[in-house]
Amino acid sequence: MEKEKNKTFVDKLWDSLASIKLAIIIFAVLALTSIVGTVIEQNADPERNIKLLAKLFGASAAPSLFRIFDSLGFMDMYHSWWFITILLLFSANLVICSIERLPKILKLVKEPVKPLPEERFKGFGIQRELTVKGNPEKAKGTVMRAVKSSLGFQLAETKEGHGYQLYSQKGNYTRLGVYVTHFSILVILVGAVVGIFFGFKGFLNLPEGRTYSVAFSRGHHMTDTAEFERIVDAVDASSGNLTNAAKTLSMDVATLKAKMRSFGIQPLDFGIRCDEFSVDFYENTDMPKAYKSRLAVIKNGKVVLNKVIEVNNPLTYDGVTFYQSSFGFSGGIENAVFRFRLASKDGRAEDLNLRYGGSFTIPGTDITGKIEDFSPALGIDEQTGRPFTYAQQMNNPAVYVNFFEKGSRKYGGWLLKRYPATWKLPDGNIVAFNGVWGMQYTGLQVRKDPGVWIVYFGCITMAVGLFVAFFMSHRKLWIRLVEEKNTTRVIIGASANKNRHAFERKIDKLLSALGSDKTGGK
Amino acid sequence: MDSSTLFGISTMAYILAMITYITYLAFRKSPIGITATTITIIGFVAQTFAIGARWIEFKDIGQMGWLRAAPFTNLYESLVFFVWCLILGYLIIEFKYRNRSFGAFVTPIAGLALAFIDLTGVQKGIQPLVPALQSNWLLAHVLMSFIAYSTFALAFSTGLMYLIMKTEKRSEAAYIFWTVTTGIFIVILAAMGLDYLKFKLLIKSPDVLIKSYLFKASFFSPSGAVSVVSWIGAAVFVYLVWRYGGALKKVVGSFSLSSETLDEITYKSIAIGFPIFTLGGLIFGAIWADQAWGVYWSWDPKETWSLITWFAYAFYLHSRLLRGWRGKKTAIVAVLGFVMVIFTYLGVNLLLSGLHSYGGME
């Protein structure tokens, strides 16, 4: 008791941080608060969570409950100060528990095995005995060879009264597997912190044909204030060079940087351009097979990298990674470019890009076509047989083209990008419709995270640590050879800190090998 | 034979095996036991071929390579695979410990999981892969997660058997725990059965999702009376399980399994499952998320719940290894851990929304 009183505050704090009880409390608190975080939708529209709370606790209590939860940070719980504090406490607990226990474990790891007094052989989990032919001297050689080949132990020896004692251990370092695992958790947390402080997470809705030198933070949705637009344009115009951009905007670089931060504009050191966005579908269905964006990285006015990205296949340049995440319409039909490949029946072909309402002539003929209608997703009504637009996405783009010869209409019809059968005209000429360009944007998730490699390193460490901790064990083996009349008694004592049965089986195998050796000698 | 015929054979075999194992428990005649094992093996072989056949069908429909065509991409396929792993694990234990009694506890889980598929009207058809799932990580991530889930399911059944065997008094916390947990488990299954019946009988529109009908036929019924009766009925049922749960003790007691063996199987299952879950479920999942979404961890409900599950089993291991807990206390943790697994696997998809919504019933 006296000792307790003399403890300083720091000692007490250390003790409480080193306690398993604290670890259990942290486990429970992390689990319980995480459950709350999965029920309350994170970073969602307040309406949604108020509705949820109304469902759970009644409509009258919902708004005030929402205010309470909101002020406690539950709407973005995993980034709230108190959740981070629990995580920090968890790390401190892990570190201090490890420091407390490490010396004991290190002693166990480093301690060499020593010969044991006779009576200690009674206390082993694994005990075996058998008799072999010959004196201890001869038996020693046989046993050592057998142990080496079947267990892989290199036995040390000591001379005793009536014979020898042999002993060895293996896998003493596997006791550290647990610490490697604990250490790896810290490494992963450090990687996460590095990512938070030196990384950047954002998005960019990049229209086909446009180049941007910035990305935008989540939470700062593109506002339409004039200044926001001016800054983005200036940074884009100077391809990410902030000094030049500041000059165009006639402000100093520090002000520009501060403004960009407040608007959530992240400058990239290069330009990124979307050359095309497209969706592949499974044949004859509207099930998407692949979302593809053809991107170009532009540095100092030159294209330095081209890549088609897909979900699961991002583009990385200069530490910044672009992920395919969404898409949508960015402009009206006035921006669209309609792509055709014309082939006349006598074999002449021509590629063509047209605006809405544009006309073309099939090479080598007098036939002209004119784009008169467009649908991003053309379907045919089953009852009336009339075409209609069935989706607000570019699922099945089609153009209506009227064909004329010498000023009079010959025929007209819908040409569908996904159905080449519709491209063939009655007179044998082919007008292939290859899609619309310039109407869509590709939604990119933009990320820079220098901590991700630390996290990966932590993951590998954890895998190794867990493997060692669960599937390898520290095994010790002692053998006494006692001289008897013309024979030698072999007394075995062994222990393993994990998976004792496996070790036991191996020892039994060793025994039967030694036993058969004896019968063979007869 | 195509995959659905083979799946049908295996489902029938498992249900038959369940009946035979229970008969074996009652009569203890070794020919019955051998029959039960044989039926289980037939079911297992049929299921193995069924998964293989579906793999080939999937590869052709999805127009993709072998690695990506692993048929573990939706709730139905994952449940089937879960049952496969569970039966494999059980067969290994049967041969290792030379004991069949345990089959009467495992085959019902397999039967229930397969019945759940039919009860809830889970989509069974082969669906081409959405872009996010087209990754080589799919195979490793799902395969290892479900191997781990199966080991946790084994630990759950041995843990539960341990509790049944070792609890004496009705006032005992461990007794109350296992009877109430079992009671709630059965009540939830029954309520979902009711939802299914209502869904099948009244709502035939294919546009409506069964998900929005969860518990609407019972606890959350728009009719106040139905709702009140359901809650009271559930409470009475749980009470009855608590009152007469002791009867199960005789059944479990008649198994020639010692409580030490049960405790050991529980620990070993978790000791195998935990590292596999960490690597395949959490680490591979994080790496894949990093490649597909640009975030290795986003506190999405599925991720968070698998972390909670991970904490539960980490707690089991620490309390056992460090605090020297044995027996009832750790068995309770093993049972609770599997409740977390069920929620991570099914509850998140049914009740919460998030990025990870491939396993839904849509």
Side-chain angles (χ1 to χ4, degrees):
Chain A
M1 282 320 281
E2 216 35 46
K3 257 191 181 166
E4 283 293 308
K5 266 184 195 165
N6 290 338
K7 279 192 169 174
T8 64
F9 173 72
V10 177
D11 287 337
K12 278 185 191 158
L13 185 69
W14 178 273
D15 282 355
S16 55
L17 278 175
S19 76
I20 298 288
K21 223 185 228 166
L22 180 72
I24 289 169
I25 292 170
I26 293 175
F27 271 20
V29 171
L30 276 178
L32 288 174
T33 51
S34 296
I35 291 173
V36 176
T38 61
V39 175
I40 294 179
E41 217 176 307
Q42 298 293 298
N43 296 314
D45 196 12
E47 293 269 315
R48 292 180 68 100
N49 281 321
I50 291 177
K51 250 172 135 181
L52 179 90
L53 288 170
K55 233 175 163 181
L56 293 173
F57 304 102
S60 55
S64 45
L65 270 173
F66 177 82
R67 267 197 302 280
I68 294 169
F69 275 121
D70 192 26
S71 61
L72 289 173
F74 272 98
M75 298 303 143
D76 188 10
M77 196 197 94
Y78 304 108
H79 304 101
S80 68
W81 63 270
W82 54 265
F83 195 77
I84 308 274
T85 309
I86 303 172
L87 286 179
L88 284 176
L89 214 58
F90 177 60
S91 324
N93 182 249
L94 202 59
V95 172
I96 292 174
C97 278
S98 302
I99 292 175
E100 285 273 301
R101 265 153 251 267
L102 203 53
K104 236 200 264 169
I105 299 290
L106 275 180
K107 208 180 135 213
L108 273 172
V109 169
K110 287 189 175 154
E111 199 176 43
V113 276
K114 290 190 198 101
L116 294 175
E118 198 181 334
E119 64 274 11
R120 285 282 299 279
F121 274 73
K122 297 262 181 305
F124 278 111
I126 306 171
Q127 299 177 35
R128 293 289 186 278
E129 271 193 44
L130 88 161
T131 313
V132 295
K133 244 177 69 176
N135 60 6
E137 200 66 45
K138 189 174 163 237
K140 193 183 77 181
T142 322
V143 168
M144 279 176 119
R145 252 176 284 124
V147 168
K148 177 85 180 111
S149 71
S150 69
L151 296 176
F153 280 74
Q154 190 72 55
L155 291 166
E157 59 172 276
T158 308
K159 185 104 180 70
E160 280 185 336
H162 297 281
Y164 290 96
Q165 187 167 154
L166 313 172
Y167 45 89
S168 183
Q169 63 175 343
K170 250 190 128 177
N172 41 343
Y173 281 97
T174 63
R175 285 185 185 269
L176 293 174
V178 175
Y179 293 91
V180 174
T181 309
H182 287 173
F183 171 72
S184 73
I185 295 175
L186 295 176
V187 173
I188 290 171
L189 288 174
V190 166
V193 170
V194 169
I196 289 166
F197 282 102
F198 302 102
F200 162 76
K201 232 177 249 163
F203 73 99
L204 179 61
N205 289 342
L206 192 58
E208 283 174 318
R210 279 277 321 251
T211 308
Y212 269 84
S213 301
V214 293
F216 305 97
S217 299
R218 297 261 172 221
H220 303 269
H221 290 289
M222 288 203 203
T223 44
D224 50 10
T225 60
E227 186 163 40
F228 176 88
E229 298 284 352
R230 270 210 338 269
I231 292 175
V232 172
D233 287 345
V235 177
D236 277 340
S238 60
S239 14
N241 186 320
L242 291 190
T243 325
N244 290 350
K247 238 177 250 164
T248 356
L249 291 163
S250 47
M251 56 173 84
D252 56 274
V253 178
T255 323
L256 177 62
K257 277 188 178 163
K259 288 208 157 147
M260 287 174 72
R261 244 198 316 281
S262 75
F263 280 129
I265 305 170
Q266 171 75 18
L268 306 171
D269 269 345
F270 51 86
I272 181 100
R273 187 178 71 206
C274 175
D275 288 334
E276 192 182 12
F277 171 78
S278 63
V279 184
D280 290 354
F281 293 92
Y282 286 101
E283 222 170 296
N284 297 326
T285 69
D286 274 343
M287 298 214 34
K289 188 179 182 186
Y291 303 112
K292 291 178 178 168
S293 300
R294 199 144 51 80
L295 299 181
V297 175
I298 297 157
K299 183 111 186 171
N300 303 324
K302 265 183 275 174
V303 173
V304 287
L305 182 64
N306 274 306
K307 187 175 178 181
V308 178
I309 66 161
E310 288 177 52
V311 184
N312 280 311
N313 184 14
L315 173 150
T316 303
Y317 182 78
D318 200 16
V320 183
T321 310
F322 297 88
Y323 301 84
Q324 180 69 56
S325 95
S326 66
F327 62 94
F329 284 113
S330 62
I333 200 153
E334 66 281 1
N335 298 326
V337 174
F338 294 82
R339 292 175 159 169
F340 294 96
R341 184 171 174 83
L342 313 174
S344 65
K345 45 184 173 186
D346 55 4
R348 270 178 284 186
E350 188 185 330
D351 286 317
L352 210 57
N353 291 331
L354 288 173
R355 291 283 178 187
Y356 186 66
S359 303
F360 56 87
T361 307
I362 296 174
T365 68
D366 291 333
I367 302 165
T368 58
K370 187 170 189 289
I371 304 169
E372 301 203 327
D373 201 356
F374 165 72
S375 166
L378 189 79
I380 306 290
D381 190 287
E382 275 177 22
Q383 263 133 41
T384 62
R386 280 162 65 178
F388 73 108
T389 297
Y390 68 86
Q392 286 312 308
Q393 287 177 342
M394 202 78 87
N395 280 14
N396 190 17
V399 279
Y400 191 87
V401 183
N402 263 325
F403 290 91
F404 303 89
E405 195 168 23
K406 296 184 185 115
S408 63
R409 183 179 178 277
K410 271 189 86 174
Y411 35 73
W414 285 101
L415 309 179
L416 286 81
K417 183 192 171 200
R418 289 175 61 191
Y419 296 92
T422 61
W423 300 345
K424 204 159 172 172
L425 306 184
D427 54 20
N429 297 313
I430 291 171
V431 179
F433 173 45
N434 290 332
V436 199
W437 184 87
M439 278 181 87
Q440 295 187 94
Y441 69 83
T442 178
L444 303 173
Q445 167 102 351
V446 185
R447 191 199 64 179
K448 183 179 179 178
D449 188 349
V452 80
W453 294 108
I454 304 175
V455 172
Y456 278 14
F457 172 73
C459 288
I460 295 167
T461 314
M462 183 181 276
V464 172
L466 283 172
F467 182 81
V468 171
F470 281 98
F471 301 121
M472 292 169 84
S473 59
H474 182 190
R475 296 160 174 203
K476 295 183 190 173
L477 176 69
W478 284 266
I479 302 174
R480 285 182 68 218
L481 303 173
V482 183
E483 181 159 26
E484 285 176 347
K485 222 189 209 170
N486 293 327
T487 57
T488 303
R489 217 142 62 84
V490 180
I491 304 161
I492 297 176
S495 70
N497 69 335
K498 262 168 291 171
N499 207 359
R500 206 183 71 197
H501 293 291
F503 192 36
E504 208 165 355
R505 274 196 298 278
K506 279 195 168 176
I507 287 174
D508 284 335
K509 251 192 193 156
L510 167 79
L511 245 60
S512 61
L514 284 172
S516 68
D517 192 44
K518 178 187 71 179
T519 39
K522 262 178 192 171
Chain B
M1 260 191 282
D2 64 345
S3 62
S4 52
T5 320
L6 287 162
F7 277 128
I9 293 173
S10 71
T11 307
M12 294 268 285
Y14 290 151
I15 290 168
L16 214 60
M18 174 175 99
I19 298 166
T20 324
Y21 272 118
I22 292 170
T23 319
Y24 169 73
L25 258 194
F27 295 103
R28 299 246 154 226
K29 293 270 190 309
S30 99
I32 303 178
I34 292 168
T35 316
T37 309
T38 315
I39 297 173
T40 312
I41 291 174
I42 290 171
F44 182 73
V45 171
Q47 204 185 9
T48 310
F49 279 107
I51 292 173
R54 194 171 170 107
W55 200 315
I56 295 169
E57 289 161 23
F58 197 20
K59 177 181 164 282
D60 294 340
I61 286 177
Q63 306 142 29
M64 57 198 160
W66 284 108
L67 276 177
R68 298 207 175 165
F72 313 129
T73 56
N74 57 32
L75 187 57
Y76 169 67
E77 290 170 339
S78 66
L79 271 168
V80 167
F81 182 62
F82 166 75
V83 169
W84 187 85
C85 291
L86 188 68
I87 295 292
L88 177 66
Y90 166 70
L91 287 174
I92 290 172
I93 287 181
E94 182 179 312
F95 281 99
K96 216 179 145 189
Y97 290 88
R98 307 236 151 251
N99 192 309
R100 287 206 174 87
S101 323
F102 190 37
F105 261 67
V106 173
T107 46
I109 296 184
L112 273 178
L114 293 174
F116 177 86
I117 293 171
D118 283 323
L119 270 177
T120 49
V122 171
Q123 176 68 252
K124 280 191 195 176
I126 296 182
Q127 302 270 313
L129 277 186
V130 297
L133 290 181
Q134 291 168 20
S135 165
N136 292 340
W137 287 106
L138 173 74
L139 185 60
H141 175 59
V142 180
L143 204 72
M144 291 176 77
S145 299
F146 278 92
I147 291 172
Y149 287 175
S150 317
T151 63
F152 294 152
L154 283 178
F156 165 77
S157 27
T158 47
L160 192 62
M161 281 161 71
Y162 184 92
L163 286 177
I164 293 172
M165 207 185 231
K166 295 289 266 191
T167 47
E168 301 288 340
K169 286 194 274 329
R170 282 201 196 96
S171 56
E172 205 177 340
Y175 179 81
I176 295 172
F177 171 79
W178 82 253
T179 48
V180 170
T181 311
T182 313
I184 292 175
F185 195 70
I186 297 170
V187 164
I188 290 178
L189 274 177
M192 288 175 84
L194 280 179
D195 290 330
Y196 173 71
L197 280 180
K198 187 185 168 196
F199 187 75
K200 270 283 138 95
L201 293 177
L202 301 178
I203 301 129
K204 295 209 169 92
S205 159
D207 303 329
V208 189
L209 298 177
I210 194 170
K211 188 173 164 176
S212 46
Y213 282 86
L214 205 60
F215 302 130
K216 286 276 164 63
S218 48
F219 303 116
F220 301 141
S221 169
S223 143
V226 174
S227 166
V228 168
V229 168
S230 308
W231 286 105
I232 292 173
V236 169
F237 182 77
V238 173
Y239 169 79
L240 288 177
V241 175
W242 172 77
R243 184 69 185 73
Y244 298 107
L248 267 177
K249 195 176 147 85
K250 283 200 198 84
V251 179
V252 178
S254 71
F255 297 4
S256 28
L257 278 170
S258 69
S259 59
E260 288 75 30
T261 311
L262 287 174
D263 191 50
E264 187 193 312
I265 298 178
T266 310
Y267 170 71
K268 280 199 171 159
S269 302
I270 292 174
I272 291 170
F274 184 76
I276 295 177
F277 181 63
T278 314
L279 185 67
L282 294 176
I283 295 181
F284 286 177
I287 296 173
W288 187 8
D290 187 44
Q291 279 192 5
W293 300 322
V295 273
Y296 52 81
W297 191 263
S298 55
W299 293 104
D300 158 86
K302 193 87 170 179
E303 290 172 353
T304 310
W305 271 96
S306 48
L307 185 69
I308 293 167
T309 306
W310 190 77
F311 274 135
Y313 287 107
F315 179 81
Y316 174 91
L317 293 165
H318 283 86
S319 60
R320 192 183 155 103
L321 297 174
L322 222 56
R323 305 223 87 189
W325 284 8
R326 282 285 186 284
K328 281 183 259 184
K329 277 194 209 162
T330 48
I332 289 177
V333 181
V335 170
L336 274 181
F338 192 64
V339 174
M340 304 291 172
V341 170
I342 294 179
F343 199 83
T344 307
Y345 175 25
L346 298 174
V348 171
N349 296 95
L350 295 179
L351 304 173
L352 305 171
S353 59
L355 285 170
H356 217 114
S357 49
Y358 314 113
M361 310 231 259
E362 290 90 308

